[in-house]
Amino acid sequence: MNQAELIQRAVQILREGGLVAFPTETVYGLGADARNAEAIGRIYRAKGRPSTNPLIVHVAGQDVARRYAREWGPEAQRLAERFWPGPLTLVVEKDPSIVDVATAGKSTVGLRAPDHPLTLELLRRFDGPLAGPSANRSTRVSPTTAQHVREELGGAVDLILDGGPCSVGIESTVLDLTSSPARILRPGGVSRELIEREIGVVGEFSGSVGESEAASSPGQQAVHYAPLAKAFLFGRGELEGVLEWCGRHMEQSWAVMLIGRWERAGSFFSRFGEGNGRPRLVLEMPEDAADYARRLYGMLRQLDGQGVETIFVEEPPADPPWRAVRDRLRRATVPFTPL
Ligand code: TXA
Ligand code: MG
């Protein structure tokens, strides 16, 4: 099938209540018609997602968004004009045609126009609201390639559209426009600074709106967006302690994800060598926040695939460009405490 035929097929599947995985600039989504309660039920089952967690609804652009929002105020208009298509989800009061199961019973819906040519074409042809959470099992790492989706959800999806690797790599910013002032529920590709330039000061929810309503429970947060391996976050000054731990646990397989300069662990390797057949890795992650975000989920998946049991992740800098990455890492890991 050529691309036009594939998209035609995808539209047909969606109209018949099926599931289509689709690429976006952030992560791959698992799509169904947001007006079809049965199809939405299939999404929740495929993901193993708690029915209390609302789905994002994708649209081709503002014109379609207006149809599925009860109100589309000046803030929504301004932000959509500036950032759509792009990694910004706007939470607004929903139109009744969006079924309640799609929004977990909430009166609001998160709308976003994704910046990917294949999916924008799909959305234009579908001409409706495409509910689409990330195409992973609930609490797991979001997929950033079609292959990730195949591995994780293959059998549960009617069609996977392959649009190549995602260019942003972590999920969109979720901005609640129904509170006053507006409030960031999840940091992502569009920064708070950029949003504030358009609509003035916004709040930020510092807990977590993750894969379930775990906002109140740090323990639950720890498993969101998480790899299968045990994952620890360590401070920049704690590398010695981490390497000591690794030295004491040579029977295990582990990986240390540094930000740049893997040579910092060089003396460690001259002391302990490479281990016998079990992966023991010191990895150099990008020093640029956007590059890091693009690589993060793929790296966690790769380490799981290699059977790594423990992952140590170096904490990124505290400055604004790293905010979304820090948020995801906080939820994928627990803090390292030297034992
Ligand atoms: O980048 C993304 O946003 C990706 C791609 C596929 O678009 N989608 C995604 O969807 O990450 P999902 O369902 O995995 O995450 C949606 C997040 C959840 O944290 C959910 O709680 C929040 O958005 N959310 C969705 N609708 C909401 C609503 N009406 N009110 C508050 N939070 C909402
Ligand atoms: Mg998700």
Side-chain angles (χ1 to χ4, degrees), residues 27 47 49 133-136 140 142 171 186 211 225:
V27 302
K47 279 182 66 81
R49 179 166 174 134
S134 50
N136 53 281
R140 298 294 322 287
S142 297
E171 303 82 352
R186 178 177 75 183
E211 292 292 342
Y225 305 96

Side-chain angles (χ1 to χ4, degrees), residues 34-270:
R35 298 160 298 192
N36 181 333
E38 234 175 88
I40 299 302
R42 262 180 220 130
I43 289 186
Y44 280 94
R45 281 197 297 281
K47 279 182 66 81
R49 179 166 174 134
S51 58
T52 49
N53 195 358
L55 309 178
I56 285 177
V57 173
H58 299 77
V59 290
Q62 263 203 90
D63 292 348
V64 186
R66 282 173 201 280
R67 275 195 252 145
Y68 298 104
R70 215 184 58 209
E71 284 160 50
W72 193 252
E75 288 186 335
Q77 192 176 325
R78 177 129 195 191
L79 290 167
E81 257 157 38
R82 170 76 173 78
F83 297 112
W84 281 8
L88 177 63
T89 297
L90 300 174
V91 175
V92 294
E93 292 295 332
K94 81 175 182 72
D95 181 84
S97 60
I98 303 285
V99 292
D100 288 338
V101 276
T103 60
K106 284 178 186 283
S107 65
T108 57
V109 61
L111 295 170
R112 131 173 155 87
D115 191 11
H116 193 291
L118 189 58
T119 296
L120 280 175
E121 184 58 19
L122 170 68
L123 287 165
R124 280 191 287 265
R125 304 239 162 206
F126 178 54
D127 192 34
L130 182 65
S134 50
N136 53 281
R137 303 271 311 160
S138 187
T139 78
R140 298 294 322 287
V141 172
S142 297
T144 51
T145 67
Q147 184 56 27
H148 295 162
V149 182
R150 245 173 253 128
E151 285 162 12
E152 200 161 317
L153 293 176
V157 187
D158 298 303
L159 179 68
I160 299 173
L161 292 176
D162 189 342
C166 300
S167 59
V168 174
I170 59 177
E171 303 82 352
S172 63
T173 305
V174 178
L175 180 70
D176 183 359
L177 289 177
T178 68
S179 66
S180 184
R183 199 167 59 130
I184 292 176
L185 299 180
R186 178 177 75 183
V190 175
S191 71
R192 183 166 98 198
E193 288 70 22
L194 285 176
I195 291 170
E196 289 184 333
R197 223 175 275 170
E198 300 300 318
I199 62 167
V201 174
V202 299
E204 189 150 6
F205 184 66
S206 56
S208 159
V209 175
E211 292 292 342
S212 74
E213 301 220 316
S216 54
S217 164
Q220 270 176 288
Q221 276 177 38
V223 299
H224 294 170
Y225 305 96
L228 296 172
K230 265 177 286 166
F232 295 97
L233 193 65
F234 69 93
R236 307 214 108 199
E238 292 176 322
L239 180 57
E240 266 305 302
V242 165
L243 295 178
E244 247 167 58
W245 184 99
C246 294
R248 274 188 280 115
H249 293 80
M250 288 308 279
E251 76 286 359
Q252 286 204 21
S253 61
W254 40 255
V256 182
M257 283 165 56
L258 297 177
I259 297 177
R261 296 174 299 141
W262 69 271
E263 298 89 339
R264 280 182 291 156
S267 62
F268 174 79
F269 274 106
S270 59

